[in-house]
Amino acid sequence: MLEHILHQYLPILIHIIEIIGIFIVTTGAFRAFAAYLGNFSKAENSVNIRNTLGTAMVTGLEFKMAAEILRTVIVRTKEEIIMLGAIIVLREILFYFINKDMKEHQKSQSDSHEGKKITGIKIERD
């Protein structure tokens, strides 16, 4: 009985979770692109744009991974297990490198901001 319910409703739940992951990546990409267009001439805001896109990609991949983990419940053949394992490994590699790139970029940006000195004070009058 429980197995029948799992095989009937779990694929629907898996597709919903995958759609959520796709939605997160898509909206993050559009938000990053909109920020890029809005700050086209300002190089200092590229950190925020990269963080927006990177965070969306990582979060979307986490949802896709959750769907793949749920899919392991309904896998029946050895070939499906191998394919599912390969997908999980590839997504985990993507997750690792995106996170690594984001951390390195944030570190390099924070290091470059620490080297700047204040050379003067600007006073404005009303």
Side-chain angles (χ1 to χ4, degrees), residues 4-71:
H4 174 70
I5 293 172
L6 282 176
H7 284 284
Q8 185 174 2
Y9 294 108
L10 196 56
I12 296 167
L13 181 62
I14 290 168
H15 289 301
I16 291 170
I17 293 172
E18 285 182 331
I19 289 169
I20 292 169
I22 292 167
F23 178 77
I24 290 169
V25 172
T26 304
T27 56
F30 282 126
R31 286 181 59 207
F33 184 66
Y36 172 77
L37 290 178
N39 299 318
F40 189 69
S41 63
K42 300 175 186 174
E44 68 268 4
N45 288 331
S46 68
V47 174
N48 294 334
I49 295 169
R50 284 181 67 114
N51 286 341
T52 299
L53 183 57
T55 302
M57 289 171 50
V58 167
T59 307
L61 275 172
E62 288 175 348
F63 274 90
K64 298 286 282 173
M65 286 286 286
E68 296 300 334
I69 290 168
L70 286 174
R71 188 168 285 146

